[in-house]
Amino acid sequence: MAMKIKYADIIIPAAVAGTYTYAVPASLTGAVRRGSLVTVPFGQSRAVLGLVIRVHDTTPHGFEIREVQETLPAEACINDHLTDFILWISDYYLAWPGEALKAAIPSADVLPGRVVRKRKAGSATLNGTGVMAPVILTESQGKVFSSIKELFSKHEVVLLHGVTSSGKTEIYIHLIQEQIDLGKQVLYMLPEIALTAQLIERLKKYFGDTIGVFHSRLTPAARRDVWKRVSDGTLKAVLGVRSSLFLPFKELGIIIVDEEHDSSYKQYDPAPRYHARDAAMILSRIHGGRTLLGSATPSLESFYNAKEGRYGFVELKSRYGEVMMPEMIIADTRSFGRREKMVSHFTSKLIDAVGEALSKKEQIILFQNRRGFSPYLMCPDCGWVPQCTNCSVSYTYHKGIGKLVCHYCGKNTKIPSECPECGSASLSTRGFGTEKVEEEIRLLFPSATVARMDQDTTRRRSAASSILSEFAAGDTDILIGTQMISKGLDFEKLTVVGILDADNMLHFPDFRAFERSFQLMEQVSGRAGRRTRRGKVIIQTADPSHMILRQVLKHDYMTMCTTQLEERSLFGYPPFTKIIRVVIRHHNQDDLNISAARLAASLRRQLGRHVLGPEFPLVMQVQRWYIKTIMIKIDGTLSPSRVKDVIRRAIDAEMKAARQGSLRIHADVDPQ
Ligand code: ADP
Ligand code: ZN
Ligand code: ZN
């Protein structure tokens, strides 16, 4: 009897739907199974890396069948859990399966079995085996620890709301220890690479070599090493950013998502546009494990899920050591201005507090959520503002490099010597960014040591961690920064935090602006006075009676949640609806308008009033692409998976109808 030919359905890393079927040569039949990574010919390419989803013996018809070329070593195999996860990501986030595969395997470099060089000692892993026992939890921490475990018997997900410095991290450490003792693996997620550096020092004291770090700034060799050791189970715990969800865990007992409210958990570009917090819950479910979400300021989505009983909920209300929450002070920039008590952008309240802290050898953080020197330049005579020619936004002035820089496309240009509109000889700076704050603080406090942390000062691989470790060591008195300095940091001598421009956050045109402002202010203020000294937070604003500021003053997270949830419900925003945003881009504005209108009409025929737009976004042109967006709001009357089918088909039809080179359309599910 002739042996039947075997076929394999394979995901190809390309922008194509579904899987492709290849024949499995007899020599490979034993080695090709679900989860195998193989090379196959695809289009003009001789060999691309593919993931086998299914092996069967149904001969496909209607196209020429090509053969699988080779299989990668078994140790580079994608296990069933990860395969399921890749398929879920692709389906839920409307990404091509190949895009989801690429998120797991950005290049064959990360896979073991193709190792050219030997593993470098200590590259991604940690040296030092001196393993300490976790600290003894306080009574209230111990109670929270027990109730988390109890809640896990009824809920897959538990939300831990613990004020800043309450000891959430210590509780995580106990949970990790417990899972390791059970022989299971743990993923501990943070929203940003900079945070992993500070925390790993603390974790390796307890877990030595059994914990590893994972993020995109590791060398390929280091990544490969983590991949391999996660896969063979020698690595028990991983501290990582969102991409660590795609590591080949054998059996995850728990995923801890710290700072769960943070919008950096959402991947925007390239696809798959996944939310790592939400995806973590699915990955845990696939492993039969649990998810712990932690934050001092949980997202409204998570809080609402907890309130509705879908998640377990625990609270840790006081700081460790009964340290008081910082004193919150509002500094009104208007009245101070009138009484001429402002020195440039600083109120006298802020300057006095900084001076006092310096005299006591304490440290200060100044927060301004804009980088560069000033957000724009303006002609004082005619009002002309220099704008990027690729994007419809004004250039930011960077004094250090003496250039105008576009924060959307990175283009830079020199400063015009005169106004091209009216010939006026000087342009004036408007508003202020971190670079200007730094310059002025140095003038005001010439003997203080000042450092700045933002995208511009942290381009080098190690820059962020060295700025932070110098501050931690007390070598820096004043640290100025953007939202990069708002999170997770724990410094002993830090007592004063200044928020220089609260209004700029509050009035950002987004339905999450109030929630975000509260979170950001509460998080930055949480950095102050975490040990013995009570901290002081000075918030500068021209709108001191703003509802959100009142809530920040009292650290009143619950009232913020209740009032914001009312608003969301009233206007039909998440968590009461789900949003999918369709983004249409074109080099030609007229063609963009035509495609966007046609796509919206097609969606509207099927989804009716749930379709809003098309509209130009805040910045309507980026890197020479004109942009329009369509928003789809899914309420309880629609099935999300049906809506996704409609969107998939409508996008497909429009891409075919337009037939022009430069049209691009993608969907963003649960945009942030
Ligand atoms: P959070 O993660 O909630 O911001 P941390 O876990 O970082 O808080 O705790 C704040 C500080 O208090 C840390 O320096 C931590 O080591 C210390 N701490 C918290 N709980 C304990 C404990 N039970 N014993 C000793 N130190 C503790
Ligand atoms: Zn002018
Ligand atoms: Zn630009």
Side-chain angles (χ1 to χ4, degrees), residues 70-372:
E70 58 168 359
T71 58
L72 269 61
E75 55 183 344
C77 187
I78 304 282
N79 64 38
D80 263 351
H81 292 334
L82 184 52
T83 308
D84 289 345
F85 183 64
I86 289 171
L87 292 172
W88 180 84
I89 287 273
S90 144
D91 184 57
Y92 184 88
Y93 289 104
L94 291 170
W96 303 116
E99 290 173 326
L101 175 59
K102 263 194 173 157
I105 308 168
S107 84
D109 264 13
V110 306
L111 297 171
R114 315 197 124 192
V115 188
V116 204
R117 279 156 296 164
K118 275 246 207 72
R119 179 182 145 198
K120 264 207 322 246
S123 46
T125 57
L126 296 155
N127 306 316
T129 42
V131 174
M132 276 167 37
V135 300
I136 295 163
L137 295 178
T138 63
E139 197 188 327
S140 53
Q141 290 168 345
K143 276 190 188 146
V144 165
F145 179 65
S146 321
S147 49
I148 289 173
K149 292 193 295 179
E150 206 178 296
L151 287 163
F152 275 145
S153 64
K154 289 174 277 182
H155 299 272
E156 289 182 328
V157 182
V158 171
L159 172 62
L160 166 58
H161 174 216
V163 298
T164 51
S165 207
S166 56
K168 293 186 291 299
T169 312
E170 301 297 349
I171 292 176
Y172 302 155
I173 290 169
H174 280 254
L175 286 166
I176 296 170
Q177 186 64 62
E178 206 174 63
Q179 292 299 320
I180 293 178
D181 293 344
L182 287 170
K184 295 189 179 171
Q185 288 174 306
V186 178
L187 171 59
Y188 182 166
M189 290 212 290
L190 285 168
E192 248 163 64
I193 295 176
L195 297 176
T196 60
Q198 210 200 16
L199 188 59
I200 196 66
E201 297 296 319
R202 199 167 150 189
L203 295 177
K204 74 177 174 187
K205 289 197 301 225
Y206 304 112
F207 305 114
D209 253 347
T210 58
I211 189 161
V213 199
F214 190 77
H215 52 67
S216 59
R217 286 199 178 184
L218 295 180
T219 61
R223 282 215 226 184
R224 202 156 47 220
D225 181 57
V226 174
W227 211 92
K228 180 169 168 296
R229 299 202 305 132
V230 166
S231 169
D232 67 24
T234 51
L235 209 51
K236 300 297 179 202
V238 174
L239 177 69
V241 295
R242 59 174 185 253
S243 55
S244 43
L245 288 169
F246 293 95
L247 287 169
F249 292 99
K250 284 166 81 91
E251 191 185 3
L252 274 172
I254 191 170
I255 303 182
I256 296 163
V257 185
D258 195 21
E259 314 285 358
E260 68 85 28
H261 63 280
D262 199 298
S263 60
S264 318
Y265 276 124
K266 184 83 197 304
Q267 156 89 5
Y268 184 68
D269 242 347
R273 298 177 172 81
Y274 63 100
H275 197 303
R277 173 196 62 217
D278 301 344
M281 299 183 216
I282 299 297
L283 183 63
S284 275
R285 177 180 297 169
I286 291 173
H287 281 264
R290 296 288 179 261
T291 308
L292 179 68
L293 309 179
S295 175
T297 54
S299 63
L300 285 187
E301 282 86 349
S302 298
F303 176 77
Y304 181 70
N305 279 322
K307 193 169 143 263
E308 295 291 292
R310 281 188 286 272
Y311 303 166
F313 185 62
V314 266
E315 277 182 294
L316 202 47
K317 290 180 181 165
S318 57
R319 291 185 143 188
Y320 172 70
E322 304 306 315
V323 177
M324 285 211 279
M325 293 295 282
E327 180 190 359
M328 308 294 283
I329 300 159
I330 291 266
D332 185 339
T333 52
R334 291 166 317 168
S335 63
F336 278 93
R338 273 199 302 277
R339 281 185 255 138
E340 288 174 47
K341 272 192 176 170
M342 280 200 67
V343 179
S344 181
H345 305 289
F346 312 108
T347 56
S348 54
K349 274 187 188 166
L350 181 69
I351 293 176
D352 293 348
V354 172
E356 201 190 314
L358 287 175
S359 72
K360 289 197 258 169
K361 302 262 175 271
E362 295 171 354
Q363 290 175 300
I364 299 118
I365 273 187
L366 298 177
F367 171 79
Q368 168 63 355
N369 214 8
R370 276 172 182 278
R371 63 194 172 94

Side-chain angles (χ1 to χ4, degrees), residues 388 390-391 406 408-409:
C388 174
N390 293 333
C391 314
C406 171
Y408 279 78
C409 72

Side-chain angles (χ1 to χ4, degrees), residues 509-581:
D510 183 280
F511 73 89
R512 287 193 176 93
F514 286 3
E515 179 193 357
R516 292 268 154 79
S517 304
F518 181 94
Q519 286 163 341
L520 207 53
M521 284 187 262
E522 192 61 32
Q523 291 286 343
V524 217
S525 59
R527 304 307 121 220
R530 288 165 66 92
R531 301 291 161 83
T532 43
R533 291 164 268 221
R534 186 177 187 201
K536 203 183 255 186
V537 179
I538 292 136
I539 302 175
Q540 299 196 146
T541 175
D543 189 3
S545 58
H546 197 289
M547 176 180 65
I548 289 289
L549 293 177
R550 296 285 123 196
Q551 293 159 357
V552 170
L553 286 192
K554 290 186 279 176
H555 302 287
D556 192 356
Y557 170 79
M558 287 300 166
T559 306
M560 187 281 290
C561 275
T562 327
T563 50
Q564 289 309 304
L565 281 173
E566 275 167 25
E567 297 264 302
R568 299 277 180 91
S569 150
L570 202 59
F571 295 101
Y573 280 112
F576 300 95
T577 56
K578 280 177 94 48
I579 291 179
I580 299 180
R581 184 186 288 142

